[in-house]
Amino acid sequence: AAKSYWQGCNGDCGEGTQRIYPPAFSPKVVGQIWSDSAQMQTWFGSSWWKVFGIQLMPQTAISEALWNPIWISEMLPQFSASCDADEKDCVNQGWSTLSWGASAVLGGCQIAKTHVMALPESVYTTDGGNGQSKSNALWWIATRCPDLPSYLDDDGPSLEPSHDTGV
């Protein structure tokens, strides 16, 4: 049902699920469904990045069953464009963490890691980031991208003991 009604992909959305909305409805996600219409808004706002974000929440292990790469490839440009157009609120309210998770699904692992590492901790206590954490976002990226180098930067914490072991 989520793929049929909430994800607006073109053609096959995975597992034989077909698009049910007419071509005139161009968004790749639906925020509200009524008996005779679908809208690109949520109960808490009409910014497109909020609609995309709410349909990507929560970003957990089971999300890979819902986040079909075909749909991600179609919706991510719209999500990114809407977030870029209102970057201050999209980033500060934590919604961009979900766009970077979606980017990792398509192989954009290094850029996703770089952006998530640069996000302030405060984004995880806001509307879009609440329930998410930096460690969860990095876990998601790492599990999409097994060849990604270590998440520890050169100036980050060391795996070496901090005391002299005498060895």
Side-chain angles (χ1 to χ4, degrees), residues 15-134:
E15 295 84 42
T17 305
Q18 296 294 315
R19 179 180 171 91
I20 63 168
Y21 299 107
F25 187 80
S26 64
K28 302 302 179 192
V29 69
V30 176
Q32 292 179 319
I33 298 174
W34 303 92
S35 61
D36 61 352
S37 66
Q39 291 180 307
M40 186 60 175
Q41 67 181 40
T42 67
W43 291 107
F44 51 89
S46 60
S47 299
W48 277 33
W49 45 266
K50 289 181 179 179
V51 181
F52 284 107
I54 201 69
Q55 297 307 338
L56 291 171
M57 288 180 155
Q59 183 176 285
T60 65
I62 196 64
S63 298
E64 62 190 37
L66 188 59
W67 291 22
N68 181 288
I70 295 167
W71 174 66
I72 295 291
S73 69
E74 292 177 1
M75 74 81 172
L76 188 57
Q78 290 181 343
F79 187 4
S80 296
S82 67
C83 194
D84 290 346
D86 191 6
E87 186 175 351
K88 181 177 177 247
D89 283 341
C90 183
V91 173
N92 289 345
Q93 292 182 21
W95 298 97
S96 68
T97 62
L98 298 160
S99 70
W100 298 120
S103 179
V105 169
L106 302 179
C109 302
Q110 188 60 50
I111 190 93
K113 174 207 162 206
T114 299
H115 281 273
V116 167
M117 291 294 288
L119 290 172
E121 291 297 322
S122 61
V123 304
Y124 300 104
T125 61
T126 59
D127 296 342
N130 194 0
Q132 174 76 296
S133 67
K134 186 172 281 195

Side-chain angles (χ1 to χ4, degrees), residues 110 113 145-152:
Q110 188 60 50
K113 174 207 162 206
C145 313
D147 297 330
L148 191 63
S150 169
Y151 285 102
L152 299 177

